[in-house]
Amino acid sequence: MARQNAPPILLVEDDRAIATVISAALEDEGFVIRHCFSIAERDAALAEASFAVMVTDVLLEDGDGLASLDAVRAAVPAMPVIVLSAQNTLDTAVRASDSEAFEYFPKPFDLDQLVQAVGKAAGASARRGPDAGTQENETPGSDGEGLPLVGRSQAMQGVYRMIARVLRNDLTVLVTGESGTGKELVAEAIHQLGSRSTGPFVAVNTAAIPSDLIESELFGHEKGAFTGAIAQAIGKFEQANGGTLFLDEIGDMPSEAQTRLLRALQSGRIRRVGGRQEIAVSVRIIAATNRDLVPLIEQGAFREDLYYRLNVVPIQLPPLRDRREDIEVLAQHFLAQAVEDGLPRRRLSADALVMLEARQWRGNVRELRNVIYRLALMAQGEVIDPAAISEIVGAETAPASVPVANAEPGLAGALDRWLASEDPPEGLLHAQAIAAFEKPLIEHALKRTRGNQLRAAKLLGINRNTLRKRIVELGVEPERFARSV
């Protein structure tokens, strides 16, 4: 049943299957939906009627739905816009943020979350009224070039959305993740794309500074403050004034320095070691750690009040093993970087890429970059193949298989046999098992639907874009099933 007096929702989506699913979900909540496929149809609809919310895809049949939002803003400044996109990059998330989108959802998205967002947006639209204008904020500029983070995996989408959300404010950010996942790159992205991009970006590895010098490094010191202080020194806080201070490995900071850091964060003022004058500084703080701070708090090694002061906006970076679909694009990115750094131009064979995707990558993206550079330097031919990887980097060997006794029948038995032959390492069991069983499941659906991907997606209960993506990633050949009976 439609909501009483509710203006319709404008859905701009050129994928008919996705539009059908979204429309049905919103209609179940009482919304009236008007669906169009293109920018031209969108503009015609906006000229004819008013809408509570617009939900739009980015890539449409006649152009970029995000790039053309300025005209929509000028015509209907009070209408909230929710952006959907299969271009799951940091650039797209930032562009959505720059356009002042009410919310951004990378595909595939959680349908319930989208419905909730539309409801909130419709409520905000009703409160603002039809004559309200957009907020006049200074938008951080970015042309999308040279962004430091690479990858389009689902695991990275939450990271991109959180980065986009902190660009217009100075909230303190705590980046967590294993060593080598790119925590400093997140800090650089927030700085480069945010309002402090014209100020300095100062990075400090607190674990690399001797404990008796860390306060001097952070806050500076006056001449004669301690033995060896032969001149006044400006600390990292003052160096970063007007910009961003990145405190890496914050979990290893000595307790005395933690106290002074907390005081500086609370007051916005610092005092050099040996000094008497307090100095006002305007610095955005981004901290990072590869350690779990909660146990350190329980052990008394990290101040609880400092933790809450730093953990205003948490961003968790996934390990590379949880975003294996990004390995190809990362490898290509590093091969291109290697050429810029003077190394020979190389390319990976398909089998070499499969081999790289199967590795454990305990050093995460940093290890992958180092391996790619080593391969670019030492490979004999233009094409890097599995033999080159084995010779230069070394092959990872799986543990010896264990016989399975009394294996159960059906799926449980198949799982037992697969585990015995593969024995995935800790942390990879779920991902590798899903990949192993997903391919035959997709092939079964394609066989039943004679290669019709739309019907196969419906049979599986996933959207068509997700099916297409998995077909490519798993190496499924749908044309084989078009001839199936």
Side-chain angles (χ1 to χ4, degrees):
M1 181 177 178
R3 299 188 181 199
Q4 187 175 6
N5 300 323
I9 306 298
L10 180 60
L11 174 60
V12 190
E13 171 61 72
D14 60 359
D15 187 311
R16 192 178 298 275
I18 294 177
T20 299
V21 172
I22 294 174
S23 297
L26 292 175
E27 287 169 352
D28 285 346
E29 293 299 313
F31 290 107
V32 176
I33 311 302
R34 178 164 176 177
H35 172 224
C36 54
F37 293 87
S38 65
I39 293 172
E41 291 181 14
R42 176 201 73 188
D43 292 344
L46 289 171
E48 295 172 4
S50 61
F51 298 89
V53 182
M54 182 172 78
V55 180
T56 181
D57 196 2
V58 173
L59 286 183
L60 298 166
E61 58 186 33
D62 59 348
D64 188 322
L66 196 51
S68 59
L69 278 185
D70 285 347
V72 174
R73 293 289 188 201
V76 197
M79 180 182 65
V81 177
I82 295 175
V83 176
L84 314 175
S85 177
Q87 289 185 307
N88 301 339
T89 64
L90 174 58
D91 178 42
T92 307
V94 171
R95 288 175 63 212
S97 176
D98 286 350
S99 72
E100 298 184 0
F102 185 86
E103 187 57 275
Y104 163 69
F105 288 95
K107 296 178 180 179
F109 50 82
D110 186 299
L111 188 59
D112 290 338
Q113 290 182 4
L114 174 61
V115 171
Q116 290 174 11
V118 170
K120 291 178 181 178
S125 179
R127 289 192 298 272
R128 292 176 68 185
D131 298 324
T134 56
Q135 296 179 356
E136 295 185 6
N137 289 333
E138 194 69 29
T139 300
S142 169
D143 58 5
E145 298 293 333
L147 296 180
L149 291 169
V150 176
R152 300 189 177 192
S153 63
Q154 191 67 23
M156 289 297 292
Q157 296 315 303
V159 174
Y160 295 159
R161 292 176 73 188
M162 290 302 294
I163 290 174
R165 286 177 173 177
V166 299
L167 297 183
R168 288 187 178 82
N169 54 65
D170 279 339
L171 296 177
T172 303
V173 177
L174 178 63
V175 188
T176 57
E178 296 177 6
S179 179
T181 50
K183 296 185 288 295
E184 185 167 352
L185 295 181
V186 170
E188 290 178 0
I190 293 171
H191 175 75
Q192 290 177 19
L193 301 169
S195 58
R196 291 180 175 263
S197 59
T198 57
F201 177 82
V202 178
V204 184
N205 187 335
T206 59
I209 303 173
S211 58
D212 56 341
L213 295 179
I214 191 166
E215 289 189 51
S216 174
E217 281 289 318
L218 290 178
F219 307 111
H221 63 256
E222 299 290 354
K223 180 180 178 179
F226 50 84
T227 303
I230 59 176
Q232 183 189 77
I234 301 300
K236 301 300 184 182
F237 263 86
E238 287 183 79
Q239 293 174 30
N241 193 30
T244 302
L245 179 61
F246 174 58
L247 301 174
D248 198 8
E249 303 305 344
I250 193 71
D252 296 305
M253 177 177 280
S255 57
E256 299 84 0
Q258 290 179 33
T259 302
R260 290 200 60 182
L261 174 60
L262 177 63
R263 189 180 302 120
L265 295 179
Q266 290 173 333
S267 67
R269 307 177 72 85
I270 60 103
R271 181 183 297 171
R272 299 184 190 126
V273 176
R276 297 182 178 180
Q277 180 183 3
E278 287 196 335
I279 303 166
V281 290
S282 174
V283 175
R284 179 179 201 154
I285 299 294
I286 302 177
T289 180
N290 61 9
R291 306 180 67 181
D292 186 349
L293 296 181
V294 174
L296 295 181
I297 293 171
E298 295 171 350
Q299 298 164 17
F302 198 84
R303 291 187 62 125
E304 185 174 13
D305 46 4
L306 177 59
Y307 171 75
Y308 290 118
R309 177 68 66 169
L310 293 173
N311 195 36
V312 178
V313 181
I315 298 180
Q316 172 73 40
L317 273 178
L320 189 55
R321 62 180 173 272
D322 289 346
R323 47 180 296 216
R324 291 181 182 272
E325 59 267 47
D326 285 338
I327 289 177
E328 178 177 6
V329 67
L330 284 165
Q332 302 297 349
H333 173 73
F334 293 139
L335 285 173
Q337 278 192 342
V339 173
E340 293 177 3
D341 290 340
L343 296 177
R345 186 177 299 277
R346 310 289 191 197
R347 60 185 178 88
L348 290 162
S349 71
D351 290 341
L353 180 60
V354 170
M355 190 173 185
L356 290 177
E357 290 175 340
R359 294 178 72 89
Q360 302 309 307
W361 302 116
R362 294 176 180 86
N364 293 295
V365 178
R366 182 186 295 125
E367 181 188 0
L368 174 61
R369 180 187 184 278
N370 293 341
V371 164
I372 293 299
Y373 267 62
R374 197 184 319 162
L375 291 170
L377 174 67
M378 301 181 67
Q380 296 299 313
E382 179 185 351
V383 178
I384 299 172
D385 58 17
I389 295 176
S390 297
E391 178 182 353
I392 297 169
V393 183
E396 290 186 339
T397 56
S401 60
V402 180
V404 179
N406 302 320
E408 297 182 28
L411 281 176
L415 178 61
D416 286 339
R417 291 188 293 274
W418 181 82
L419 288 170
S421 63
E422 296 294 330
D423 194 18
E426 183 177 352
L428 294 178
L429 175 58
H430 181 266
Q432 291 189 8
I434 291 298
F437 282 79
E438 187 179 15
K439 183 174 181 179
L441 181 63
I442 288 175
E443 290 178 339
H444 169 75
L446 289 168
K447 184 175 181 180
R448 282 187 57 181
T449 59
R450 299 189 179 184
N452 186 310
Q453 294 183 35
L454 182 59
R455 291 172 54 206
K458 186 175 180 180
L459 175 65
L460 291 166
I462 61 178
N463 69 57
R464 186 174 60 180
N465 285 343
T466 299
L467 177 60
R468 286 175 176 170
K469 183 172 182 289
R470 298 304 292 155
I471 283 174
V472 172
E473 291 172 348
L474 296 170
V476 176
E477 300 175 2
E479 60 274 5
R480 289 196 300 117
F481 302 98
R483 299 184 296 271
S484 300
V485 177

